[in-house]
């Protein structure tokens, strides 16, 4: 029964091709490039160079994201800024940053949106479409660093998240309890 299940899973991967050799995939605690697909398992090389052998029965029953199945990929970079900052100014800084980089698409255009409003800060997100999805990890790290550097140079206040604790009135009994 187990062998039949493996065979059917392998056939489904060959027929529907949710990924092919060379694709970057992610799912259930794995990320890497597909190296080999057999009827019983799929081998993936992780970003740290490990060879992962995953039974096709596991892959077929899990959600697997392919980073290379479609031609483009959107990167999202979250940023926390102070509530007194000028959102229009920040939006323009971030859009200019992406438009200066030829590795990002101009259509669809990059966007900057407010994703969360808080008392002590608000969270924004820069979203931009990458031309070469194969390079998404490196570009995500580079873009995050460039966003931080550009906003710091522009004097944008990016506060750390804080937790405010209310003072508690504690009464101690004379006997120490």
């Amino acid at each position: 029964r187990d062998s039949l299940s493996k065979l059917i899973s392998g056939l489904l991967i060959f027929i529907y091709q949710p990924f092919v050799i060379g694709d970057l995939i992610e799912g259930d605690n794995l990320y890497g490039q597909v190296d080999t697909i057999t009827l019983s398992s799929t081998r993936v090389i992780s970003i740290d160079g490990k060879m992962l052998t995953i039974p096709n029965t596991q892959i077929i029953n899990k959600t697997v994201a392919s980073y290379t199945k479609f031609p483009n990929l959107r990167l999202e970079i979250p940023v926390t800024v102070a509530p007194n900052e000028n959102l229009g100014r920040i939006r323009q800084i971030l859009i200019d940053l992406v438009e200066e980089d030829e590795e990002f698409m101009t259509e669809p255009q990059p966007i900057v949106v407010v994703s969360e409003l808080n008392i002590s800060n608000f969270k924004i997100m820069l979203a931009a479409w990458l031309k070469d999805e194969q390079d998404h990890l490196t570009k995500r790290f580079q873009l995050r660093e460039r966003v931080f550097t550009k906003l710091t140079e522009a004097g944008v206040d990016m506060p750390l998240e804080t937790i405010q604790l209310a003072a508690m009135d504690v009464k101690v009994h004379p006997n120490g309890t």
Side-chain angles (χ1 to χ4, degrees):
R1 180 178 174 178
D2 189 43
S3 296
L4 182 61
S5 180
K6 287 180 184 177
L7 178 66
I8 291 171
S9 297
L11 287 172
L12 289 173
I13 288 173
F14 280 107
I15 292 169
Y16 293 111
Q17 296 186 337
F19 50 82
V20 295
I21 293 173
D23 277 1
L24 293 171
I25 63 169
E26 177 181 22
D28 204 30
N29 299 322
L30 75 95
Y31 173 85
Q33 186 171 30
V34 177
D35 180 67
T36 308
I37 303 170
T38 69
L39 286 176
S40 62
S41 65
T42 297
R43 291 190 186 135
V44 175
I45 300 172
S46 67
I47 57 173
D48 57 357
K50 295 176 185 163
M51 175 68 76
L52 308 172
T53 302
I54 303 108
N56 288 337
T57 52
Q58 287 183 11
I59 291 177
I60 209 74
N61 291 317
K62 304 285 182 176
T63 300
V64 176
S66 173
Y67 286 90
T68 48
K69 193 70 175 173
F70 296 100
N72 307 109
L73 183 70
R74 187 173 84 177
L75 298 183
E76 297 177 348
I77 306 297
V79 181
T80 302
V81 298
N84 61 332
E85 288 293 338
N86 181 326
L87 181 58
R89 177 175 160 258
I90 293 170
R91 180 175 282 122
Q92 194 59 56
I93 290 169
L94 296 179
I95 296 294
D96 290 347
L97 178 71
V98 171
E99 288 178 346
E100 293 168 2
D101 191 333
E102 293 179 4
E103 295 187 46
F104 287 96
M105 299 172 59
T106 55
E107 283 298 323
Q109 294 179 341
I111 60 168
V112 176
V113 297
V114 175
S115 58
E116 193 174 320
L117 297 170
N118 299 307
I119 294 171
S120 60
N121 60 40
F122 62 92
K123 295 182 182 182
I124 59 175
M125 182 186 61
L126 166 64
W129 288 89
L130 190 59
K131 288 180 182 176
D132 181 7
E133 74 286 339
Q134 290 278 351
D135 208 18
H136 76 276
L137 279 181
T138 304
K139 286 305 289 185
R140 182 182 319 273
F141 294 139
Q142 289 172 351
L143 184 57
R144 186 178 295 127
E145 186 173 329
R146 287 178 57 218
V147 163
F148 176 77
T149 300
K150 200 69 147 170
L151 292 178
T152 301
E153 288 172 356
V156 173
D157 185 10
M158 295 179 285
L160 298 173
E161 293 204 28
T162 58
I163 300 173
Q164 192 170 22
L165 300 174
M168 295 184 348
D169 185 21
V170 179
K171 295 181 182 178
V172 179
H173 193 272
N175 68 6
T177 59

